[in-house]
Amino acid sequence: MTTTAAHTAAETDETVQAIYVTALRNTHALEKQAAQMIQRQIERYESYPELTQALRLHKSETDQQVTRLADLLHGHGEDRSLLKDVVTQTVGNVAALVHSVTGDEVLKNLYTDYSVETYEIAAYTSLIALAEEAGHGRDIEILRLSLKEEERMAEAVFAHIVPVTKAFVARETKGEKADR
């Protein structure tokens, strides 16, 4: 291998590593935001116990995912991005505030939850491909665990859309506060 070819291969490896670490940081920030969003919903949905139960389970999984991602970052000599964490958490808080003043908060949050879950599925799928490209096979099992948790939660959220929508309508037609 020539010096130029070796230099190009090293640059390629470095680029792939940088892309992978950036994706880990982004997903870490996303999961922290998701954990906050889930916690706010758990506190507000007393009229939807099945949804609240699914959210509680996924909050625990999400907290574990945050830890797993932080451990992966640390294992690669990196740390999470504090700025990225603050920005994504702020965006999540603003979105929650906007939804909380609408009369159909629970429905809008269901749509958001489903969107977030599918986004996280895409993020973990991409992370697995990046780990393969970067030669970090040991990370893949950890990432697949998180992917499976996100897939399960996406299915759970989807399964709650019709029952929660119907319960929301029933409460509204009875004059009850339907978003709680």
Side-chain angles (χ1 to χ4, degrees):
M1 183 183 277
T2 65
T3 305
T4 304
H7 182 67
T8 302
E11 285 177 351
T12 300
D13 288 346
E14 193 174 300
T15 300
V16 172
Q17 295 299 322
I19 293 167
Y20 179 57
V21 168
T22 298
L24 284 171
R25 277 193 202 117
N26 290 342
T27 307
H28 182 268
L30 172 66
E31 292 295 4
K32 287 191 74 153
Q33 176 188 353
Q36 285 189 341
M37 182 178 74
I38 293 167
Q39 185 58 47
R40 285 189 301 274
Q41 291 175 9
I42 289 169
E43 294 165 359
R44 296 188 52 80
Y45 295 154
E46 60 202 36
S47 297
Y48 305 94
E50 295 85 12
L51 177 58
T52 302
Q53 181 180 4
L55 289 168
R56 278 194 182 102
L57 172 62
H58 195 55
K59 171 69 168 71
S60 174
E61 291 171 340
T62 301
D63 290 341
Q64 291 171 21
Q65 291 166 3
V66 168
T67 300
R68 285 183 215 135
L69 289 164
D71 290 347
L72 288 175
L73 282 165
H74 183 72
H76 293 291
E78 300 291 330
D79 204 357
R80 72 196 191 325
S81 168
L82 183 58
L83 176 61
K84 198 168 280 187
D85 285 354
V86 169
V87 169
T88 56
Q89 289 173 31
T90 300
V91 169
N93 287 329
V94 169
L97 178 63
V98 169
H99 287 183
S100 71
V101 296
T102 63
D104 58 351
E105 172 190 4
V106 69
L107 297 180
K108 286 182 177 139
N109 282 337
L110 268 176
Y111 312 153
T112 300
D113 290 347
Y114 190 68
S115 296
V116 168
E117 294 308 321
T118 56
Y119 186 95
E120 290 170 332
I121 289 167
Y124 282 109
T125 301
S126 181
L127 275 172
I128 290 166
L130 287 168
E132 289 170 351
E133 287 294 309
H136 296 301
R138 68 186 185 282
D139 295 0
I140 294 172
E141 186 177 331
I142 294 165
L143 296 170
R144 281 192 179 136
L145 174 60
S146 295
L147 174 61
K148 290 199 180 313
E149 292 167 348
E150 297 304 345
E151 289 170 337
R152 186 203 54 76
M153 186 57 179
E155 290 174 10
V157 171
F158 188 78
H160 280 93
I161 292 173
V162 170
V164 169
T165 299
K166 289 182 177 188
F168 175 83
V169 169
R171 285 184 178 84
E172 280 288 312
T173 58
K174 291 178 187 174
E176 297 175 8
K177 186 165 175 62
D179 63 347
R180 289 197 140 252

